[in-house]
Amino acid sequence: MTDSKYFTTTKKGEIFELKAELNSDKKEKKKEAVKKVIASMTVGKDVSALFPDVVNCMQTDNLELKKLVYLYLMNYAKSQPDMAIMAVNTFVKDCEDPNPLIRALAVRTMGCIRVDKITEYLCEPLRKCLKDEDPYVRKTAAVCVAKLHDINAQLVEDQGFLDTLKDLISDSNPMVVANAVAALSEIAESHPSSNLLDLNPQSINKLLTALNECTEWGQIFILDCLANYTPKDDREAQSICERVTPRLSHANSAVVLSAVKVLMKFMEMLSKDLDYYGTLLKKLAPPLVTLLSAEPELQYVALRNINLIVQKRPEILKHEMKVFFVKYNDPIYVKLEKLDIMIRLASQANIAQVLAELKEYATEVDVDFVRKAVRAIGRCAIKVEQSAERCVSTLLDLIQTKVNYVVQEAIVVIKDIFRKYPNKYESVIATLCENLDSLDEPEARAAMIWIVGEYAERIDNADELLESFLEGFHDESTQVQLQLLTAIVKLFLKKPTETQELVQQVLSLATQDSDNPDLRDRGYIYWRLLSTDPVAAKEVVLAEKPLISEETDLIEPTLLDELICYIGTLASVYHKPPSAFVEGGRGVVHKTLPPRTASNESTESPETAPAGAPPGEQPDVIPAQGDLLGDLLNLDLGPPVSGPPLATSSVQMGAVDLLGGGLDSLMGDEPEGIGGTNFVAPPTAAVPANLGAPIGSGLSDLFDLTSGVGTLSGSYVAPKAVWLPAMKAKGLEISGTFTRQVGSISMDLQLTNKALQVMTDFAIQFNRNSFGLAPAAPLQVHAPLSPNQTVEISLPLSTVGSVMKMEPLNNLQVAVKNNIDVFYFSTLYPLHILFVEDGKMDRQMFLATWKDIPNENEAQFQIRDCPLNAEAVSSKLQSSNIFTVARRNVEGQDMLYQSLKLTNGIWVLAELRIQPGNPSCTDLELSLKCRAPEVSQHVYQAYETILKN
Amino acid sequence: MIGGLFIYNHKGEVLISRVYRDDIGRNAVDAFRVNVIHARQQVRSPVTNIARTSFFHVKRSNIWLAAVTKQNVNAAMVFEFLYKMCDVMAAYFGKISEENIKNNFVLIYERLDEILDFGYPQNSETGALKTFITQQGIKSQHQTKEEQSQITSQVTGQIGWRREGIKYRRNELFLDVLESVNLLMSPQGQVLSAHVSGRVVMKSYLSGMPECKFGMNDKIVIEKQGKGTADETSKSGKQSIAIDDCTFHQCVRLSKFDSERSISFIPPDGEFELMRYRTTKDIILPFRVIPLVREVGRTKLEVKVVIKSNFKPSLLAQKIEVRIPTPLNTSGVQVICMKGKAKYKASENAIVWKIKRMAGMKESQISAEIELLPTNDKKKWARPPISMNFEVPFAPSGLKVRYLKVFEPKLNYSDHDVIKWVRYIGRSGIYETRC
């Protein structure tokens, strides 16, 4: 008998025929018909019209038929909720069947039918099944609770199923325990605050016992659950590790990886001096290597994880380089990952072998792989200084092959090598120049131009080479254009006599004929620099370049720590936190590695390492591209960060933007020819002629936080302050303040026209800032602003703009445009406009979080001369969304425990100490704890501002 | 957890589609077909994320199996599950092909219902599954209550892989030590990497619930035992091997292995893989390949390859095959070999040299002249490595089975009554020499 015939019925009128067959009296015919229905369903045909007929077949003692009907029900019940009710009776009856397989089948299927009315009927049978005498029914019922929770969480809580589920953790049958753990873990994920799993040493012990007995899948559920536990001290961590290590010999790779996850996480708590720590490190290597003999798909998962492990604890696999050598028949995804790990493991000890391998790979077929191999050779040169010479000669050999993409890739990496070891390998430049014509990729062209510019004084025909690129200037990509501009300016500074014409040419190309603002701005800056002060220009353009770091593509340390907590899961495959690819609130709880806590401090060495590796060990990550001032110093050709893009807002540290105050003065200077150079000012002067001496930088117009009294509706609002004086903006004066009312932030502006002409066409734009503030609507000035007129505008703000860390943190750089010109200013916003309305943390959570944040993150402040009592303080703060979670009186002092949340989700916890009985002491003491300690200072300022007004 | 499971044929038509989670819609089925099966480019990753939905796939012949999820699932588990799923299907109806899947689709749906609940893998041991899902439909209609509870306790119990009450007239077991030896050698004969990955496969036909203990010449165990008698250590020490790592079937008590390094278990009935292991030290490389490639002008290539067998002269290697890659622009090949048969296979771009049998400590040689078409292709020929296949009747790692003891306390048969067979087979894994 073959069932494949069911797939081939395609004739018309099929549904009617099926209907007739389904209602047939003959059992066999009925079964055949249901099979046909399922086959059509699989192929994607809509057979929902047969619903009543199929459901009629449900009342049968033939289990196979019953299963098929159930399968149909699960698919279509949602589209036919009323009819689905017809099935309820059979389900309820089946739940009482003497055969445990049928009881389990009924409860399993019922949980998959997402119809409210059915769900109601599910509760009673489920309750019974959770306590069924048969373990098979219990294990099925345990999963069913998770299903029900997915449909109706409230119902599950009301019915007390969660408690029953918790009891199942102590069940005598290991599979029931495993499924209960899986269900609870899933439910707990959607309630991060609830202490559902309630892991304590006793329950952990039960889990560890069940671990030895249950199926491979059950072991995975239990290990994944264990990984969420934080042992109370290093001893407990060690004892759990000891009981988990045997899992490393399991044949199932997922069990092994989950065990590795638990060990990697708990290891964090162990002291490095401990003998056991070393033993554990040694035990981890062999199972990780064994994973590489699994099927290719699993190898891929393993390699992605090993990539993380190698970054976190390089010592584990440092001797295992050979196993990562690429095999000819490996699938490409395995090859690329192996290569990545090889570069990370490369060291002086193994560099010879690695280089020989890489050279071999560079002759393979797959273009991506070859490119990566060439790039890897460059990385080796930068990482292991002793090998640099060999790497360079290998690269030269590869350039001789004349394979286009190999040559280009080699040139890109040689540029990095020049950066790392300046003035060492220039002898190769001649060879590079021979290949100039074959470069057709922007990155390679840009690299080559950089090299020519950098070593212009040693290349006789540097001007000719650069000139040849200049011909097709407008067809080049931005990267190449920028590089060419910089290179020619460098050339000019080095050989001013012969290249004046060339530099004039490139400057006019960049400033006049280009639509690209980056290019134009850079062009202008060079132009002004050269025309104002060529000596300064030399200092800026030919400045000493900072060293490039040895490692690239490193995952940022906090993300790495989080990913270590996700070993084995998709997050570790994507190298992204779950929030980047999981929808909704499920599974996006931020995980961190446990801090090290010794069981007995006195016996430990006095050095208490903070969570994670000490800061000194963390290698710096190469700053991302697109940082403008860095650009000017031509750092933009730093090795690209080619790791998977991070979807979360990674705050760029220390980036300085063009809008920043530092460059204002540069722009403010009167343009005039200086010295012997006969430069003409750029044609479109951005600076008004009637402007006097430069008026400081935008940063001087600081918004005075402490003056004036604000109205107390919503959060505290500071009075308006002048942000942009008329003198600096051709007669436009802007003053303003920030407000927060019922959840929305706005910027209240007052625009005054002090010029003699009408102003129109207003627009506003913010530079990237620390909290992503951005105008939520365009700046609307309805009528033209006539001289001496003032308008008041409230500009709604959103916090979804792009993020860049500013210094100070609350600095906001603004550009305002009108028909006359564009003006820039910067202001500081009070942090309390970012305090959100749902910033009240529940008590339990507060306590747990307070403990969880390391003490280094605590900051202490004093608020002087604030003669308020606790109630007044509390209510005043509450109106600005600082919530009092708890209040306590200790020895005549009032302690307020407060929480607040910033728009970007950062929680700040505060402890405020007030001494009401003591009139001589009116100072308040404030302790702040936050995972991002840099905000503390600003939160303190906000406190002070709010309390004193 | 796993949100859905789809099986497609090579054209991308759905053969099986089972959705476990509400967040997976019908469009997921199409998304995978369009973005992966019908994608123009070669597959670059076994995990694909399309519109916040992740797809895991494996391919068996021309059948695609895909698991879908929207959550942060345990990726290793999903792949292990997919492989297990293939094993289960193969155990029921043999080869995984479109025909077989269509013929057994009802069975597959039943299986999927049983081994995956709400996306959580449940018991997937075929032995246990076969007790209540059979190819003839469901067994359970006429079962007694005892039988039913026996099934459920087996499916959920501690020894999920074996049922009670198995009886054989003759208690017999077969042990196969199957090794694949992997080598990557430089043209100069330097070993770049070499390892043996081995498996111990056991076929057991034993009555009752036998307790087994397996022993081999593991260095750690032998050194531990040898502490008392120093003489023995030096004697047996030579024959012991260092195992880099090993993994075991779930029937083996891992905690006992971790503490005492003893391998004890109650075996499943029939065939199963007891352990896998890997060694890298003191490997006997059965063959050595010495290549010599010379380019004569632009249109000719001379290749000479010598193979040397390196094991006891009394043993015979079988199924020897040497594969010498040729450039894409090869126009003609002339081969001369001392032993066996050699042929140029244009479709595979290789000269394949086959020798049926070869004794230890022998040498053989092939030489070939390859004529090339002149090309203006700038790309150099990548010179893939010369690969080899063979089978030898010993374990290249040096592993020896020392004992396999069987105890069955309830039934009255002793270890001596069990007939035991041991066999060693060494095969080539990826055995390559660069040229």
Side-chain angles (χ1 to χ4, degrees), chain A residues 630-795:
Chain A
D631 241 10
L632 289 176
L633 298 169
N634 59 76
L635 294 179
D636 52 351
L637 274 172
V641 181
S642 62
L646 307 179
T648 47
S649 57
S650 62
V651 179
Q652 295 175 353
M653 310 293 275
V656 186
D657 204 86
L658 185 55
L659 288 165
L663 284 169
D664 283 2
S665 52
L666 182 77
M667 303 295 279
D669 276 332
E670 278 289 339
E672 54 182 312
I674 291 185
T677 47
N678 48 354
F679 270 105
V680 197
T684 52
V687 184
N690 63 346
L691 202 67
I695 316 157
S697 72
L699 282 170
S700 60
D701 327 304
L702 286 192
F703 170 34
D704 190 0
L705 282 171
T706 47
S707 67
V709 184
T711 45
L712 267 176
S713 66
S715 346
Y716 162 72
V717 179
K720 289 198 173 80
V722 176
W723 284 343
L724 182 72
M727 261 159 58
K728 275 191 77 183
K730 299 187 183 170
L732 175 68
E733 186 186 80
I734 300 179
S735 53
T737 185
F738 293 93
T739 62
R740 182 184 184 92
Q741 262 164 334
V742 273
S744 53
I745 308 169
S746 53
M747 186 177 185
D748 288 349
L749 292 169
Q750 182 175 319
L751 308 180
T752 309
N753 182 353
K754 294 193 174 172
L756 295 172
Q757 67 185 114
V758 175
M759 294 178 179
T760 55
D761 303 330
F762 285 94
I764 192 163
Q765 206 163 14
F766 295 176
N767 188 12
R768 289 189 288 177
N769 54 70
S770 315
F771 292 94
L773 281 175
L779 184 65
Q780 301 225 315
V781 182
H782 293 295
L785 199 58
S786 37
N788 272 327
Q789 196 192 349
T790 299
V791 284
E792 300 252 2
I793 302 150
S794 180
L795 178 72

Side-chain angles (χ1 to χ4, degrees), chain A residues 42 136 186 216 253 290, chain B residues 21 80 84 109 114 120 245:
Chain A
T42 301
Y136 184 78
E186 177 166 349
E216 44 194 332
S253 308
T290 298
Chain B
R21 296 266 173 158
E80 283 283 1
K84 205 43 108 9
Y109 274 125
E114 193 56 49
Y120 289 106
D245 189 37

Side-chain angles (χ1 to χ4, degrees), chain A residues 420-545:
Chain A
K420 170 86 182 187
Y421 311 108
N423 306 321
K424 222 171 157 187
Y425 299 109
E426 294 80 75
S427 51
V428 310
I429 292 176
T431 322
L432 302 185
C433 289
E434 285 165 20
N435 291 287
L436 218 55
D437 300 331
S438 65
L439 307 181
D440 52 10
E441 288 162 21
E443 207 185 347
R445 286 174 84 86
M448 192 64 221
I449 294 169
W450 183 88
I451 293 170
V452 175
E454 191 64 18
Y455 294 96
E457 69 273 31
R458 320 219 184 140
I459 304 172
D460 295 336
N461 59 344
D463 48 342
E464 281 168 36
L465 292 176
L466 291 176
E467 201 171 357
S468 68
F469 282 103
L470 210 53
E471 280 160 21
F473 188 76
H474 290 297
D475 302 326
E476 299 283 1
S477 75
T478 311
Q479 189 185 11
V480 180
Q481 290 176 333
L482 286 169
Q483 211 42 250
L484 192 53
L485 174 60
T486 306
I488 293 180
V489 171
K490 279 190 209 160
L491 173 69
F492 171 71
L493 289 169
K494 288 175 178 172
K495 298 183 184 170
T497 45
E498 313 124 60
T499 55
Q500 222 177 79
E501 205 174 306
L502 192 62
V503 80
Q504 283 282 14
Q505 200 185 344
V506 76
L507 284 176
S508 82
L509 276 172
T511 54
Q512 285 166 36
D513 304 337
S514 169
D515 298 333
N516 185 327
D518 283 351
L519 184 64
R520 237 171 23 219
D521 286 355
R522 194 190 280 198
Y524 278 131
I525 288 167
Y526 283 141
W527 202 323
R528 276 181 196 285
L529 256 164
L530 293 172
S531 57
T532 334
D533 186 354
V535 181
K538 217 163 186 162
E539 270 167 30
V540 171
V541 180
L542 303 179
E544 185 104 334
K545 277 161 282 295

Side-chain angles (χ1 to χ4, degrees), chain A residues 233-287:
Chain A
D233 54 39
D234 56 346
R235 260 183 223 165
E236 197 190 356
Q238 179 174 345
S239 85
I240 296 176
C241 287
E242 279 166 0
R243 295 178 69 179
V244 166
T245 33
R247 297 299 120 197
L248 294 175
S249 314
H250 203 286
N252 187 315
S253 308
V255 175
V256 176
L257 267 179
S258 290
V260 169
K261 165 165 58 192
V262 174
L263 297 175
M264 281 294 285
K265 213 178 153 186
F266 289 5
M267 233 171 153
E268 204 66 27
M269 298 181 68
L270 301 177
S271 155
K272 288 193 176 177
D273 319 329
L274 226 57
D275 286 346
Y276 183 69
Y277 181 86
T279 323
L280 202 52
L281 276 184
K282 272 192 211 121
K283 279 195 172 170
L284 275 170

